[in-house]
Amino acid sequence: MGLSCLGIFHTIIGIASIAGAVVGFVRYGKISLKELSGKIYFYGTLITSVTALGISKHGGFNAGHAFSVFIILLIAVAYFLFSKKEGSRRARYFENFLLSFSFFLSLVPTVNETFTRVPVGHPLAKDITDPIIGKTLLFLFILFMAGSVYQYFKQKKVNKSTSLYLES
């Protein structure tokens, strides 16, 4: 597989991050920064994105690095909304979307790297242009869109019940 020490560390933290997000989606329908799974996702994604800046197959700044910088920006804004706009019901919509979008974007290089490396010796894809990668990313994009719609309506319901509770 040819992973450096940084690459191994990056992969382990990235897997923990993905696990945190999946647990959050299953338990709460979103990545919740109030919960341990959300904290694992946030900090794991931050570390994974920063370490990705030190990893390059092609040398120099590339699309993978741009994804990392953008993901850091997305989770930073989501964290700001979580911590500084706690009372804003509208901010929850954006927080949910930004965290979910950061998760989807982190899966793009994850799928590319995994499919071009695993199984060792006979990877699923020859390179990033392989149709299996495109089909997998399309499937994940559809899941992301469906999940975003689900989160919107779930948050709308939470906001409505919260406003009813506050009015009582």
Side-chain angles (χ1 to χ4, degrees), residues 49 52-53 60-73 105 109:
S49 295
L53 297 173
F61 192 81
N62 59 41
H65 295 119
F67 265 78
S68 293
V69 170
F70 191 54
I71 289 167
I72 291 168
L73 179 65
L105 289 181

Side-chain angles (χ1 to χ4, degrees), residues 89 157-167:
R89 292 178 293 175
K157 187 176 178 181
V158 167
N159 287 355
K160 187 175 181 181
S161 68
T162 303
S163 67
L164 289 175
Y165 175 73
L166 292 174
E167 291 172 7

Side-chain angles (χ1 to χ4, degrees), residues 43-54:
Y43 290 110
T45 298
L46 180 60
I47 293 167
T48 302
S49 295
V50 169
T51 58
L53 297 173

Side-chain angles (χ1 to χ4, degrees), residues 6 18 38 62 71 75 86 99 102-103 106 132-133 157 166:
L6 181 60
I18 289 169
N62 59 41
I71 289 167
I75 64 171
E86 192 175 334
L99 289 169
S102 71
F103 179 69
S106 70
I132 191 169
I133 291 176
K157 187 176 178 181
L166 292 174

Side-chain angles (χ1 to χ4, degrees), residues 62-144:
N62 59 41
H65 295 119
F67 265 78
S68 293
V69 170
F70 191 54
I71 289 167
I72 291 168
L73 179 65
L74 292 173
I75 64 171
V77 172
Y79 185 81
F80 170 80
L81 293 172
F82 168 74
S83 63
K84 302 295 184 197
K85 300 289 184 181
E86 192 175 334
S88 171
R89 292 178 293 175
R90 185 179 301 160
R92 299 298 69 80
Y93 292 111
F94 292 103
E95 177 188 334
N96 293 342
F97 178 79
L98 293 172
L99 289 169
S100 294
F101 189 45
S102 71
F103 179 69
F104 168 72
L105 289 181
S106 70
L107 291 177
V108 172
T110 301
V111 167
N112 289 337
E113 290 298 317
T114 302
F115 282 26
T116 57
R117 293 178 184 258
V118 177
V120 177
H122 298 290
L124 295 170
K126 292 180 183 174
D127 59 34
I128 63 170
T129 62
D130 199 297
I132 191 169
I133 291 176
K135 290 176 184 177
T136 302
L137 292 176
L138 176 61
F139 175 73
L140 292 172
F141 180 71
I142 291 168
L143 281 179
F144 161 69

